[in-house]
Amino acid sequence: MSTDHSLVKRFRQEVGDRLAHQRRLDQASGLPPMTGEDERQFARALIAQVLEEYARGEIGVGRVPPTADEEEALAAGIHAALFGVGRLQPLLDDPEVENIDINGCDRVFVGYADGREAMSEPVAESDDELTELIQILAAYSGLSSRPFDTANPQLDLRLPDGSRLSAVMDVTVRPSVSIRRARLGKVFLTDLVGNGSLTPEVGRFLAAAVGARKNIMIAGSTNAGKTTLLRALANEIPAHERLITVERALELGLDQFPELHPNVVAFEQRLPNSEGQGEITMAELVRRSLRMNPSRVIVGEVLGDEIVTMLNAMTQGNDGSLSTIHANSSMEVFNRVATYALQAAERLPIEATHMLISGAIDFVVFIEKRNDYAQGGRLRRYVSSVREVTGCDGRVLSSEVFRPSPEGYAVPHAPLSCLDELVPHGYVPGGWG
């Protein structure tokens, strides 16, 4: 049954206005703000009220009001527009959908967990409506409102379900949106061993490395599963430790599971306002995190000049830090970090950066992504290499302690120099090649 999306848009605005009015009344009366669930329940009551008023109005002018089924579809659409992502919601509700790429409102391409790709239905009536949807999401997702307009044509944010959204406008012919699903919220190393992302030995090694407070950088290409592995590693951290996460857009969500991590502070980069004021950069947040009594600092994704501050933090007693970085191999990570460091305010020379890396990072874990769907297989993500940093001699010295097997999975290759620190945390090597 088709839904009248113009009505959904109209009623979404009306319900949103009434909801905002109630928030203001509560605040003026000194009442505590509604919880997320209370607000959703109240919104459902408002939606029913608005639809009832609409039906009475239609009857009053001699038109046929919506049927019960039509009214139910309208209610679902309004609720999705308020608290979900509008006509994108069915795609996000599908557990098999992994990626959604939108090149204009009617060019929607969906990637599935098994590697298949298919074209889907339009997600808006026009590009303007698509832009408006993204603007609404930008206003209500994350810790602060994020502009998405001609003056701010780029946007990154986390959707309510934890998925990552990236959008651009005006630098493309039509607004373009990419959504990467958060398929595993609460994930553990045992889950990744179970789905073939890790071998049991690599799983035991990583658990021990986290327990031994080793600084670990996870590397891989886009959509390789770096954030998922980061969550799994973080879930090996004891519950009594205080974690501070630093991200461009909230995505890790460790604070969403107090039974695992009761003491978490999540920092999110703040963009400048329309006057160019109020920006708080990733580097500033990493620096601030060190003053917040952290047991460990977790940087969701290293993309720029925050790298120097983060490496300094790792060398100043904040052992056990975790982060991710884009790279095409475990060896390339060191040059990628050095390149970011050159862009930082400190302008560190290559030699100094490599000395800093060698003193800060203990292990680089590389995740491979391979799409075998064309050969009758499926999309595979797996740890293929682990490199241990062993020193510096003008350049970072490292040893590939796990390297790819013929099947691609990481297998033991070289002795670990810090093995005696890992054994107390349960790791006993199965042998070297």
Side-chain angles (χ1 to χ4, degrees):
M1 179 181 59
S2 62
T3 302
D4 188 336
H5 293 289
S6 64
L7 281 179
V8 170
K9 182 178 177 181
R10 168 183 155 189
F11 294 148
R12 183 229 160 269
Q13 182 66 48
E14 193 167 336
V15 173
D17 289 344
R18 295 188 189 189
L19 194 57
H21 178 66
Q22 186 62 46
R23 289 195 200 105
R24 290 192 295 271
L25 288 178
D26 289 348
Q27 186 177 17
S29 302
L31 297 174
M34 287 183 282
T35 66
E37 184 55 34
D38 287 344
E39 195 164 275
R40 282 169 169 76
Q41 291 297 335
F42 184 59
R44 289 188 178 96
L46 290 177
I47 290 169
Q49 185 182 83
V50 166
L51 289 176
E52 184 181 347
E53 292 170 1
Y54 173 70
R56 284 204 304 267
E58 291 295 279
I59 293 171
V61 295
R63 288 194 290 262
V64 178
T67 65
D69 287 345
E70 289 170 340
E71 193 167 291
E72 185 177 339
L74 282 171
I78 298 164
H79 197 270
L82 275 169
F83 297 104
V85 288
R87 292 164 72 177
L88 277 168
Q89 196 65 51
L91 292 175
L92 292 181
D93 289 340
D94 186 341
E96 294 303 312
V97 170
E98 191 159 85
N99 296 300
I100 305 166
D101 295 313
I102 305 167
N103 308 332
C105 66
D106 57 349
R107 304 288 294 173
V108 182
F109 301 88
V110 178
Y112 292 88
D114 61 6
R116 290 180 296 117
E117 293 187 359
M119 197 164 178
S120 185
E121 296 293 320
V123 295
E125 292 299 317
S126 66
D127 286 352
D128 286 343
E129 185 177 305
L130 173 61
T131 299
E132 183 182 349
L133 169 63
I134 303 307
Q135 288 169 338
I136 291 169
L137 292 172
Y140 294 104
S141 299
L143 299 180
S144 58
S145 175
R146 294 180 170 226
F148 184 58
D149 49 35
T150 300
N152 302 274
Q154 303 178 81
L155 175 70
D156 291 291
L157 55 83
R158 186 182 71 167
L159 298 178
D161 72 340
S163 298
R164 180 192 299 179
L165 180 147
S166 178
V168 292
M169 64 180 291
D170 285 359
V171 293
T172 53
V173 176
R174 305 179 69 183
S176 178
V177 183
S178 291
I179 298 173
R180 289 173 52 194
R181 294 291 311 284
R183 298 179 63 235
L184 291 172
K186 187 189 292 186
V187 60
F188 301 92
L189 290 177
T190 51
D191 298 319
L192 300 185
V193 170
N195 68 21
S197 298
L198 308 175
T199 64
E201 174 143 3
V202 170
R204 291 193 300 273
F205 158 75
L206 290 174
V210 172
R213 303 189 67 85
K214 295 299 178 182
N215 294 326
I216 301 171
M217 182 163 279
I218 302 166
S221 62
T222 301
N223 200 27
K226 300 185 294 296
T227 301
T228 298
L229 179 56
L230 181 59
R231 287 194 187 104
L233 293 182
N235 286 339
E236 294 293 325
I237 298 172
H240 68 268
E241 296 195 28
R242 175 173 168 82
L243 308 182
I244 298 194
T245 65
V246 182
E247 301 176 86
R248 277 177 170 74
L250 293 178
E251 181 182 11
L252 285 172
L254 300 184
D255 55 322
Q256 302 299 308
F257 303 105
E259 68 278 13
L260 298 176
H261 306 291
N263 192 355
V264 179
V265 178
F267 284 173
E268 182 184 54
Q269 176 187 16
R270 192 169 78 183
L271 300 178
N273 59 23
S274 57
E275 287 78 37
Q277 304 298 314
E279 180 181 17
I280 302 178
T281 67
M282 288 282 287
E284 289 173 307
L285 290 176
V286 173
R287 199 172 294 115
R288 170 59 56 183
S289 72
L290 303 180
R291 302 173 186 171
M292 301 288 289
N293 192 32
S295 299
R296 307 193 195 215
V297 176
I298 299 175
V299 179
E301 186 175 32
V302 175
L303 283 175
D305 61 359
E306 68 274 8
I307 187 65
V308 174
T309 308
M310 188 188 78
L311 293 176
N312 278 322
M314 289 178 170
T315 59
Q316 293 172 6
N318 289 92
D319 294 333
S321 295
L322 307 170
S323 61
T324 71
I325 193 169
H326 285 274
N328 294 318
S329 71
S330 57
M331 192 66 177
E332 187 199 348
V333 167
F334 308 125
N335 287 333
R336 181 62 61 92
V337 171
T339 300
Y340 287 152
L342 281 173
Q343 301 167 8
E346 292 85 349
R347 293 291 188 273
L348 292 184
I350 294 292
E351 296 79 7
T353 300
H354 280 264
M355 287 184 65
L356 187 58
I357 294 170
S358 67
I361 299 174
D362 296 304
F363 292 104
V364 172
V365 179
F366 184 74
I367 307 180
E368 191 85 29
K369 180 179 72 171
R370 182 180 299 173
N371 192 341
D372 296 331
Y373 184 73
Q375 287 75 43
R378 57 181 294 139
L379 187 65
R380 296 169 57 208
R381 298 181 177 89
Y382 52 90
V383 171
S384 63
S385 173
V386 179
R387 195 169 286 276
E388 181 182 19
V389 176
T390 56
C392 185
D393 184 13
R395 310 286 287 185
V396 174
L397 302 178
S398 66
S399 170
E400 193 172 29
V401 292
F402 290 84
R403 72 172 179 182
S405 67
E407 295 78 26
Y409 297 100
V411 295
H413 173 57
L416 285 151
S417 66
C418 66
L419 180 59
D420 59 332
E421 298 176 61
L422 303 183
V423 170
H425 295 277
Y427 178 65
V428 178
W432 296 286

